[in-house]
Amino acid sequence: MREVVIAANWKMHTTPGDAGSLARTIAARTREAGVTRVICPPFVCLAAVRDALAESDPEVAVGAQNIHHEVAGAYTGEVAAPMLDGLATWVIVGHSERRRDAGETDAVIGRKVDRALDAGLRPILCVGEQLADREDGRATDIVDKQLRGCLGEADLARARDGGLVIAYEPVWAIGTGRNATGFDAAAMADAIRSSLDAMGWGDLAPSLPILYGGSVSSTNIAEILAEPSIDGALVGGASLKPDEMAGIVARAGITARARGLAPD
Ligand code: PEP
């Protein structure tokens, strides 16, 4: 049975002075058996969040929001995967805000997935179409192309053993308050598994966790997690609000129990 994951992407919010206390509050409000919780603060807050969670709830994992595609070198201002040793165990790669603002291509993102796996970080690979793509009926083609570009060269066994997770994040839903319907998110999750199957992932495709991301809230999480193809959420804006996270993770707990990942 696939794991249920709720990952918080704090984006460019919090400081080393306040991140630990927010992480502690969220951890305390989201204790839910069978749900994998991940908090991804900005790089400069990783140590504060790690220390706060180590004291209060070591079951909550810490993730970074990005890594460089090289291991070391003359890349001013960048952070390489091995530098996260002891700070994080997960990393988001290919977020649409980085595709948009840092010009990340599928090929570069594929290398980031590799660097994450090399360093023992669990990658959350983000894919998703623009609004125009969806309106033109090209959403699944675009996501298929992204998957091929990012994972076409991937070592499947390594990706499986390294705990790869895919986040379907339609760009038009991120930070807009307009989420995809559960039906559309599930249809894309099924399309993602079909693409991976066609890429030769075989048995791995059905076992790979697929999250939905895009304006997830405590109000719409039930519709999204009612879909058996969806295994959790990557949460942006709402992940900074303990009340919202409490509601989102509580609903994820229902899915975890229904899947037999936690006792009834
Ligand atoms: C995200 O940052 O990955 C995201 C989905 O943001 P939001 O929940 O704010 O739409």
Side-chain angles (χ1 to χ4, degrees):
M1 196 45 88
R2 291 190 299 266
E3 73 181 311
V4 176
V5 180
I6 300 294
N9 176 13
W10 285 0
K11 309 198 190 201
M12 199 169 70
H13 297 288
T14 69
T15 67
D18 59 26
S21 127
L22 180 59
R24 215 177 284 114
T25 305
I26 289 173
R29 302 279 314 273
T30 58
R31 274 182 225 277
E32 202 57 67
V35 179
T36 301
R37 292 167 292 159
V38 189
I39 295 180
C40 305
F43 283 125
V44 295
C45 300
L46 284 169
V49 169
R50 174 204 57 194
D51 293 346
L53 294 173
E55 270 167 25
S56 60
D57 190 346
E59 285 187 6
V60 183
V62 182
Q65 297 174 15
N66 180 40
I67 44 169
H68 197 264
H69 58 277
E70 296 287 358
V71 176
Y75 301 102
T76 304
E78 296 288 346
V79 173
M83 296 173 184
L84 296 175
D85 186 28
L87 285 171
T89 52
W90 291 65
V91 64
I92 299 168
V93 291
H95 193 282
S96 65
E97 287 156 10
R98 292 205 55 83
R99 291 175 186 261
R100 179 194 69 200
D101 299 334
E104 291 187 5
T105 62
D106 292 330
V108 163
I109 294 163
R111 292 178 65 189
K112 291 181 184 224
V113 172
D114 270 346
R115 295 295 81 74
L117 294 170
D118 289 343
L121 296 165
R122 286 190 69 175
I124 302 175
L125 169 62
C126 301
V127 294
E129 81 284 359
Q130 303 279 344
L131 184 57
D133 301 323
R134 178 152 288 269
E135 287 174 347
D136 291 352
R138 290 186 295 123
T140 51
D141 290 348
I142 294 293
V143 170
D144 178 75
K145 186 163 165 285
Q146 291 172 340
L147 291 167
R148 286 173 191 278
C150 296
L151 297 176
E153 309 288 315
D155 174 335
L156 308 191
R158 209 165 76 101
R160 178 196 54 222
D161 297 345
L164 174 70
V165 169
I166 292 186
Y168 166 54
E169 298 211 310
V171 178
W172 48 270
I174 297 179
T176 60
R178 178 185 169 192
N179 61 287
T181 62
F183 181 85
D184 285 345
M188 185 60 85
D190 292 341
I192 287 171
R193 293 200 172 92
S194 299
S195 289
L196 294 174
D197 192 31
M199 287 163 61
W201 285 53
D203 291 348
L204 182 53
S207 64
L208 192 77
I210 299 181
L211 315 183
Y212 166 77
S215 296
V216 167
S217 70
S218 59
T219 311
N220 59 33
I221 188 70
E223 177 192 346
I224 290 157
L225 288 184
E227 298 291 340
S229 307
I230 305 286
D231 304 308
L234 178 55
V235 187
S239 73
L240 293 157
K241 300 177 186 158
D243 284 351
E244 282 294 303
M245 283 300 280
I248 291 166
V249 178
R251 179 58 188 80
I254 296 174
T255 298
R257 288 191 288 282
R259 293 184 180 194
L261 299 170
D264 278 328

